[in-house]
């Protein structure tokens, strides 16, 4: 059992802290946000992650987990301090390291015994060297402090599972002491450990994320071409997926990647390359494709309709993916302002993201348009003129083609997540546009309306 402190209680820090406690370590989670710390102490998770709150309560009650804003007390006698603060994007694409620097300084001023500092945040290659030097420069007590890199690979929406059952733990160290200590801390997880030097560990994180971003952009690029030449991206992806060199994950075409990682980590690596006089052409292309992909549905719908003004627009899903309340870089954040600008009357449904979205776009009048948040998915669709699907939440997937046909005034659906089979939508009489596939035409809708007219 080790005494561990974790700096930052976001998706990475809090989940790491809770999981370290779960395997038996004594953990103190530190955050500068007093409100967050109060909430956590009351047993409530400040972020939405499956299974997190239960583990928080269990380990807090067992006395293995605590939360504080008092970093001195948490860092003073820790065996290891994990840093999980944000490294957001700056205007030039580079990572903002000011939060890391603040924590490094706080650590230097607080530690009173030998301590391993472990950087979990995603940082540019060479940052760990600088953090170590920075801490040495400001160190108050005569103790040994070394820095290790331990990039995080969890995915939001399955963060707890991904941490407890990680495919690999990457540790980047420069000394045996650091390598052995970090290996021992991770021993109870019983997971494969990849031990490399610090710079390689830092690079593994960016190379992995950017590869996944590339894979998504590649499939979106192929999807757009599929539409033009009459192929079906889902069939294409299926055919590709049997090739083990390609793999069967991350082959879904859609409206682009969002979230707190891929967008910033692609730009950061491009920036690092540029600084080193190298042009990272593949990653630049992935960013470019993604920027265009995010509003592809809006552009398609704009060609189909004269105006959005006064139309009831159902929006299903606001978060960048299901299973999280995170809105960072979500396609909804780009599309909804475009719709509001056109005077749309938006009815938005999201099982957990509406509250956060309302902080950016409060309910009611927004410029020329209007936005209403509904907790009932049917209320969004009822009498709607058009529907956009931005996130494939279970609640959205549970809707049948007939639900759209029955509830909407005009069953016109733009699906950014390819949830439905085109044939089923066509059969149900829904005009359906998705990504990389042919559309279900309005003819189907007209036919069924004609039949209804004849009936009446
Ligand atoms: P976040 O923004 O959700 O959380 C950061 C937290 O750090 C906040 O609660 C903030 O109040 C706190 N903080 C800031 N300064 C502090 C200080 N001096 N002391 C203590 N706490 C402080 O961030 P996140 O999404 O958890 O990401 C953290 C890092 O991990 C980033 O570098 C990110 O790229 C990386 N990462 C994120 C994910 C992910 O899915 N979110 C996955 C892998 C890696």
């Amino acid at each position: 059992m080790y005494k561990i402190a974790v700096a930052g209680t976001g998706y990475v820090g809090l989940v790491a802290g809770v999981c370290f406690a779960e395997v038996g370590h004594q953990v103190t989670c530190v955050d500068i946000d007093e409100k967050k710390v109060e909430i956590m102490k009351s047993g409530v998770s400040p972020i939405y992650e499956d299974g997190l709150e239960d583990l928080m309560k269990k380990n807090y009650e067992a006395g293995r987990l605590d939360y504080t804003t008092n970093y001195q007390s948490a860092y003073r006698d820790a065996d290891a301090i994990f840093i999980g603060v944000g490294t957001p994007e700056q205007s030039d694409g580079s990572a903002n390291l000011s939060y890391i620097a603040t924590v490094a300084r706080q650590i230097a001023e607080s530690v009173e015994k030998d301590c391993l500092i472990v950087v979990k945040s995603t940082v540019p290659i060479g940052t760990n060297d600088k953090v170590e030097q920075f801490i040495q420069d400001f160190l108050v007590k005569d103790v040994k402090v070394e820095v290790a890199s331990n990039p995080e690979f969890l995915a939001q929406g399955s963060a707890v599972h991904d941490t407890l059952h990680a495919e690999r733990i990457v540790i980047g160290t420069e000394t045996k002491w650091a390598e052995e200590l970090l290996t021992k801390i991770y021993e109870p997880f019983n997971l494969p450990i990849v031990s490399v030097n610090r710079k390689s560990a830092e690079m593994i994180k960016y190379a992995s994320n950017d590869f996944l971003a590339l894979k998504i952009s590649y499939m979106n690029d192929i999807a757009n071409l599929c539409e033009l030449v009459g192929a079906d991206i889902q069939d294409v992806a299926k055919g590709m997926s049997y090739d083990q060199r390609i793999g069967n994950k991350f082959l879904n075409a859609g409206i682009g990647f969002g979230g707190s990682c891929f967008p910033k980590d692609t730009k950061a690596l491009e920036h690092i390359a540029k600084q080193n006089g190298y042009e990272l052409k593949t990653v630049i292309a992935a960013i470019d494709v993604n920027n265009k992909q995010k509003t592809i549905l809006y552009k398609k719908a704009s060609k189909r309709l004269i105006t959005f003004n006064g139309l009831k627009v159902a929006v299903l899903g606001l978060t960048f993916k299901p299973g999280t309340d995170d809105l960072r870089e979500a396609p909804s954040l780009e599309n909804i302002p475009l719709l509001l600008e056109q005077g749309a009357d938006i009815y938005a449904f999201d099982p957990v993201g509406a509250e956060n979205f309302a902080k950016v776009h409060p309910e009611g009048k927004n410029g020329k348009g209007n936005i209403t948040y509904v907790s009932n998915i049917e209320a969004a669709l009822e009498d709607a003129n058009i529907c956009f699907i931005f996130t494939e939440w279970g609640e959205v997937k549970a809707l049948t083609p007939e639900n759209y046909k029955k509830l909407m005034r005009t069953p016109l659906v733009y699906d950014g997540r390819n949830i439905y089979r085109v044939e089923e939508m066509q059969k149900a009489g829904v005009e359906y546009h998705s990504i990389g596939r042919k559309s279900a035409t309005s003819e189907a809708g007209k036919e069924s309306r004609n039949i209804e007219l004849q009936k009446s």
Side-chain angles (χ1 to χ4, degrees):
M1 191 273 280
Y2 288 96
K3 195 165 187 307
I4 290 175
V6 181
T9 59
Y11 293 87
V12 166
L14 180 57
V15 174
V18 169
C19 291
F20 282 134
E22 176 66 11
V23 299
H25 296 305
Q26 188 66 41
V27 180
T28 307
C29 291
V30 181
D31 208 290
I32 45 167
D33 187 334
E34 277 175 23
K35 243 200 203 143
K36 236 180 180 179
V37 170
E38 250 170 59
I39 291 171
M40 292 186 290
K41 273 181 177 285
S42 73
V44 175
S45 171
I47 52 166
Y48 178 79
E49 272 301 333
D50 194 26
L52 182 61
E53 212 165 82
D54 289 344
L55 288 188
M56 284 173 71
K57 278 188 198 134
K58 178 183 156 194
N59 287 287
Y60 186 68
E61 278 161 20
R64 283 191 298 268
L65 179 64
D66 204 359
Y67 313 97
T68 185
T69 52
N70 183 347
Y71 63 85
Q72 289 101 333
S73 69
Y75 300 158
R76 188 183 302 136
D77 57 348
D79 298 307
I81 302 169
F82 285 76
I83 303 181
V85 296
T87 48
E89 180 187 325
Q90 304 195 103
S91 55
D92 62 356
S94 64
N96 178 348
L97 297 177
S98 63
Y99 299 99
I100 298 270
T102 304
V103 177
R105 183 116 190 217
Q106 289 168 339
I107 289 170
E109 288 166 0
S110 308
V111 287
E112 292 180 7
K113 64 173 246 196
D114 294 356
C115 181
L116 181 65
I117 313 304
V118 189
V119 178
K120 264 205 164 296
S121 304
T122 305
V123 292
I125 296 93
T127 303
N128 276 265
D129 294 357
K130 290 187 196 163
V131 171
E132 189 166 277
Q133 189 57 56
F134 197 74
I135 294 176
Q136 307 288 3
D137 290 345
F138 286 96
L139 204 54
V140 174
K141 292 266 167 10
D142 183 21
V143 291
K144 172 161 82 172
V145 175
E146 281 187 27
V147 171
S149 165
N150 173 218
E152 179 54 63
F153 298 95
L154 65 78
Q156 280 174 234
S158 54
V160 173
H161 177 273
D162 292 353
T163 305
L164 292 173
H165 307 280
E167 284 159 327
R168 82 305 204 181
I169 310 280
V170 172
I171 61 171
T173 54
E174 296 299 319
T175 67
K176 267 269 159 271
W177 177 77
E179 185 187 14
E180 277 172 16
L181 179 51
L182 199 45
T183 305
K184 276 201 196 123
I185 289 171
Y186 273 111
E187 212 168 58
F189 288 88
N190 201 17
L191 294 166
I193 290 179
V194 181
S195 180
V196 295
N197 70 24
R198 281 196 303 227
K199 284 188 176 161
S200 299
E202 292 168 325
M203 183 55 113
I204 287 171
K205 177 60 194 171
Y206 277 113
S208 301
N209 263 10
D210 288 20
F211 184 76
L212 294 174
L214 239 155
K215 210 170 169 186
I216 295 171
S217 275
Y218 178 75
M219 290 312 286
N220 286 337
D221 223 8
I222 295 293
N224 296 339
L225 186 57
C226 278
E227 273 181 42
L228 295 171
V229 299
D232 182 307
I233 189 64
Q234 278 182 322
D235 290 344
V236 171
K238 190 175 168 199
M240 290 167 69
S241 70
Y242 283 82
D243 188 329
Q244 286 180 18
R245 293 169 304 176
I246 295 171
N248 60 8
K249 306 245 168 68
F250 268 67
L251 295 179
N252 292 335
I255 42 172
F257 55 77
S260 66
C261 293
F262 293 170
K264 84 170 168 58
D265 293 348
T266 42
K267 283 181 218 152
L269 195 61
E270 186 211 342
H271 190 266
I272 294 165
K274 214 194 279 170
Q275 272 183 326
N276 285 277
Y278 189 76
E279 195 185 6
L280 211 52
K281 286 188 181 162
T282 48
V283 174
I284 293 169
I287 297 168
D288 191 32
V289 168
N290 199 58
N291 287 340
K292 295 194 178 97
Q293 198 71 11
K294 277 189 170 175
T295 50
I296 203 159
L297 289 183
Y298 171 79
K299 285 175 220 141
K300 277 187 194 186
S302 299
K303 278 190 194 156
R304 162 74 170 74
L305 297 164
I306 302 172
T307 179
F308 289 101
N309 191 19
L311 297 190
K312 174 169 176 181
V313 179
V315 168
L316 307 187
L318 296 166
T319 54
F320 83 95
K321 69 172 183 178
T324 180
D325 57 348
D326 199 345
L327 291 169
R328 287 179 279 189
E329 304 272 346
S332 62
L333 281 173
E334 290 204 23
N335 285 283
I336 285 181
L338 292 171
L339 292 164
L340 289 169
E341 218 170 87
Q342 297 279 321
D345 187 14
I346 295 173
Y347 281 70
F349 166 83
D350 191 291
V352 299
E355 205 182 309
N356 281 345
F357 205 87
K359 289 177 194 157
V360 190
H361 293 286
E363 183 154 86
K365 199 113 189 84
N366 275 250
K368 287 190 212 150
N370 200 74
I371 187 159
T372 308
Y373 297 97
V374 292
S375 52
N376 176 342
I377 199 162
E378 278 84 15
L381 288 173
E382 193 141 37
D383 253 352
N385 302 96
I386 180 168
C387 168
F388 286 97
I389 301 174
F390 292 141
T391 322
E392 67 278 34
W393 282 101
E395 288 87 338
V396 183
K397 289 206 277 195
L399 290 171
T400 64
E402 288 71 30
N403 291 142
Y404 294 94
K405 170 72 179 162
K406 205 172 131 224
L407 290 165
M408 294 177 70
R409 173 172 284 266
T410 39
L412 173 57
V413 176
Y414 286 82
D415 177 4
R417 301 299 175 184
N418 286 354
I419 291 176
Y420 300 97
R421 289 189 42 213
V422 177
E423 295 72 25
E424 282 172 1
M425 285 300 226
Q426 180 93 29
K427 208 167 132 210
V430 178
E431 182 179 334
Y432 178 62
H433 303 274
S434 54
I435 309 287
R437 304 184 297 171
K438 68 175 188 224
S439 295
T441 61
S442 54
E443 290 311 307
K446 273 187 201 144
E447 268 167 36
S448 62
R449 274 199 293 277
N450 284 341
I451 293 162
E452 277 164 23
L453 284 177
Q454 280 164 17
K455 270 193 275 173
S456 56

